[in-house]
Amino acid sequence: MEDIDAIAVLQDPVRRRLYEYVAAQGREVGRNEAAEAAGVTRTLAAHHLDRLTEAGLLESGSRRLTGRSGPGAGRPAKVYTRARVERSVSLPARDYRTAAELLAEAAELAGLDAGLCAAARRRGEALRGSAAPCGGLEEAMAALAARGYEPHLEPHPEGSEGEPAGDADAAGSVIRMRNCPFHAVAERFPPLVCGMNLALLEGLLGADGPVRARMDARPGECCVVVEASKNNVD
């Protein structure tokens, strides 16, 4: 029942807002920043953030937020990040993870990578339905968020031809994803599951549209990134 107890902590609306804000940042968040984002006092935010840490939903540490060190740099502040542990609740108990791992192991041993990717691409297309391929990165962000990928835009540092660096469709901008919905199985069978994930997103976003998905693995994030297709940029 440990997972149920942890998830129950999020029933409080202020606590849930704080958790969602910290989780969305993908970095350490201080108490002042979290309080401002949730619209509550620093004292109340500190109470709820520590409660989330006790429940195992957040991890805490301390560092100097000024970036300075040595005398006069001030005391280290308490900071929070989302805990890496995965929580899930199923009533009655189900064990889909074991089934997924067994199927992935069998597919890998049988060399069924191509068949799995083809099935994943068809599933992505079915999820998109009759809609046209995503028309740009902003639309792709919405589609990915709806599937739980937690997308965030990583713009090209200088933009393109005078475009602001935060322009979603500027050349060089990519969508990276903080969450992999298949993380547990991908850890054991990375080539198989990451290939499946790429094919799924190709079907979901549309392989021939203005955006494309490609592999670009980075620790702690989904192995796939999404960017404007070269034909669209040119």
Side-chain angles (χ1 to χ4, degrees):
M1 291 299 201
E2 182 180 341
D3 282 359
I4 294 179
D5 293 337
I7 293 172
V9 169
L10 296 173
Q11 183 175 358
D12 183 279
V14 173
R15 207 171 287 159
R16 189 182 311 160
R17 290 203 304 273
L18 287 164
Y19 173 78
E20 289 173 347
Y21 180 78
V22 173
Q25 304 316 301
R27 57 173 171 78
E28 294 175 328
V29 174
R31 287 172 168 175
N32 288 340
E33 179 185 348
E36 184 177 352
V40 297
T41 65
R42 183 183 185 279
T43 301
L44 183 59
H47 166 74
H48 285 305
L49 289 167
D50 287 341
R51 183 70 185 88
L52 289 164
T53 302
E54 291 168 8
L57 296 171
L58 297 181
E59 295 176 355
S60 65
S62 61
R63 68 177 177 85
R64 288 188 174 90
L65 299 177
T66 61
R68 296 180 296 166
S69 60
R75 295 176 58 188
K78 200 163 187 179
V79 292
Y80 302 83
T81 56
R82 179 170 58 182
R84 289 195 169 274
V85 64
E86 184 177 317
R87 303 283 185 180
S88 63
V89 175
S90 176
L91 297 173
R94 297 288 188 262
D95 189 5
Y96 299 114
R97 175 174 173 175
T98 296
E101 290 178 347
L102 288 170
L103 290 168
E105 182 178 359
E108 191 170 77
L109 290 172
L112 299 178
D113 303 54
L116 177 62
C117 287
R121 193 170 289 105
R122 289 194 299 270
R123 174 59 63 91
E125 291 169 351
L127 291 171
R128 178 160 50 91
S130 59
C134 283
L137 295 184
E138 292 288 354
E139 192 175 329
M141 289 264 288
L144 294 166
R147 301 298 304 172
Y149 283 91
E150 298 184 5
H152 64 101
L153 189 68
E154 187 173 275
H156 188 279
E158 298 178 358
S160 175
E161 297 182 359
E163 293 173 333
D167 185 349
D169 291 306
S173 296
V174 298
I175 297 173
R176 291 189 178 273
M177 295 166 270
R178 294 193 177 98
N179 183 50
C180 171
F182 317 109
H183 174 73
V185 187
E187 276 195 317
R188 288 198 57 190
F189 308 95
L192 182 77
V193 178
C194 291
M196 177 200 75
N197 187 28
L198 174 61
L200 178 72
L201 293 183
E202 286 174 342
L204 178 67
L205 303 176
D208 299 323
V211 300
R212 67 161 187 156
R214 63 176 175 84
M215 289 286 192
D216 188 12
R218 194 159 76 176
E221 295 190 344
C222 177
C223 59
V224 178
V225 299
V226 177
E227 63 189 2
S229 65
K230 293 188 176 180
N231 290 336
N232 190 49
V233 171
D234 295 341

